[in-house]
Amino acid sequence: MLTKRASKKTRIVAFLIAIVCFMAVLFSFSCISGCRNHICTGRDCPICATVTQAENTVRQIRSCATFGAGILLTAVFSMTILMAAALWVADTSLISQKIRMNN
């Protein structure tokens, strides 16, 4: 189990990573919207390359978020099934079994 100090550090690191991801998406969207209607200079246009990189960054972060949501949904569903099974098993006890056998 994590100590209080390690747990606080973990939360701070997770918060900083979330802020970095948010800022990357924010700057990528601003770059995409600001450079979308530029006058292209040809095949090796640096602005087109920047827009493409920003689109790839947003796509990767979105796919990671989708994967994380899928994992979370699977975990919640599994925990719900396990809790339902635990409640069903807890419904029968040795005493209830004895009473049922006596009847």
Side-chain angles (χ1 to χ4, degrees):
M1 184 168 214
L2 294 175
T3 63
K4 239 182 185 181
R5 188 173 178 180
S7 176
K8 187 175 181 179
K9 284 183 182 180
T10 304
R11 279 187 265 146
I12 290 171
V13 169
F15 181 72
L16 290 175
I17 290 172
I19 286 178
V20 167
C21 288
F22 177 75
M23 296 303 284
V25 170
L26 184 69
F27 287 132
S28 294
F29 279 138
S30 67
C31 178
I32 291 169
S33 64
C35 298
R36 187 51 85 182
N37 295 323
H38 74 282
I39 299 172
C40 193
T41 60
R43 183 179 172 122
D44 294 325
C45 180
I47 296 174
C48 289
T50 303
V51 170
T52 304
Q53 184 64 36
E55 288 173 345
N56 288 339
T57 301
V58 171
R59 192 175 301 120
Q60 286 177 349
I61 290 176
R62 186 176 54 210
S63 68
C64 290
T66 304
F67 179 73
I71 295 292
L72 183 65
L73 183 64
T74 304
V76 168
F77 181 72
S78 300
M79 292 302 287
T80 304
I81 296 296
L82 288 174
M83 292 294 282
L87 291 174
W88 180 74
V89 169
D91 189 35
T92 59
S93 67
L94 292 176
I95 301 218
S96 66
Q97 292 293 323
K98 183 177 180 182
I99 291 172
R100 193 178 78 193
M101 289 170 67
N102 286 340
N103 289 334

